[in-house]
Amino acid sequence: MTLFVQNIAFDCDDAYTVGSFWSAVFGLPLMDDDKPGDPVAVIRREGGNLYFERVPEAKTVKNRVHLCLQAGKNRDAECERMLALGATIVDDRRHLKEDGGWCVFADPEGNEFCVLGRAATS
């Protein structure tokens, strides 16, 4: 049997706002019919869609699953870009030597994700 990732699902209060944040992170659009106030928003991508769905309960604890994003040549520039898009730093571990360190962020509704990689290289 062969399995593949259909969706990576995000529970949220405002599907369009959280979807728009992740749309900017990946440089990929939301679906054409996604509008503010919709209960669902989707970013189509190879390797699994990002699926945002409004749920009634609020986030209360740390995610058990999160995205780890590998930066290209400049991890710190990507970290600054995440802040500019509205993410907040949860835990900055860029000073760690192993694997070049990483930074843990939260999206506008508190879903954690990491940006991995080394500082700028030439």
Side-chain angles (χ1 to χ4, degrees), residues 3 12 18-19 25 34 39 50 59 67-68 78-79 100 113 120-121:
L3 297 174
C12 47
V18 176
V25 167
D34 290 336
L50 300 179
K59 182 179 181 305
L67 300 179
C68 292
E78 285 298 327
C79 289
F113 65 98
T121 59

Side-chain angles (χ1 to χ4, degrees), residues 5-6 13 18 27 30 33 36 51 57 60 64 67-68 79 85-86 88-89 96 103 107 109 122:
V5 175
Q6 174 69 35
D13 182 55
V18 176
L30 291 172
D33 60 348
Y51 180 88
E57 64 276 2
T60 58
R64 295 293 300 260
L67 300 179
C68 292
C79 289
L85 292 173
T88 56
I89 293 176
L96 298 177
C103 192
D107 74 11
E109 287 198 11
S122 48

Side-chain angles (χ1 to χ4, degrees), residues 12-20 30 38-41 52-54 109:
C12 47
D13 182 55
D14 184 337
Y16 186 81
T17 297
V18 176
S20 294
L30 291 172
D38 285 352
V40 170
F52 307 90
E53 183 173 20
R54 181 174 48 222
E109 287 198 11

Side-chain angles (χ1 to χ4, degrees), residues 73-76 100 117-121:
K73 292 184 178 181
N74 191 336
R75 177 209 55 217
D76 294 335
R118 301 207 179 279
T121 59

Side-chain angles (χ1 to χ4, degrees), residues 42-68:
V42 178
I43 298 170
R44 297 251 183 249
R45 58 180 297 280
E46 193 174 315
N49 301 324
L50 300 179
Y51 180 88
F52 307 90
E53 183 173 20
R54 181 174 48 222
V55 297
E57 64 276 2
K59 182 179 181 305
T60 58
V61 298
K62 181 181 181 288
N63 298 12
R64 295 293 300 260
V65 175
H66 66 265
L67 300 179
C68 292

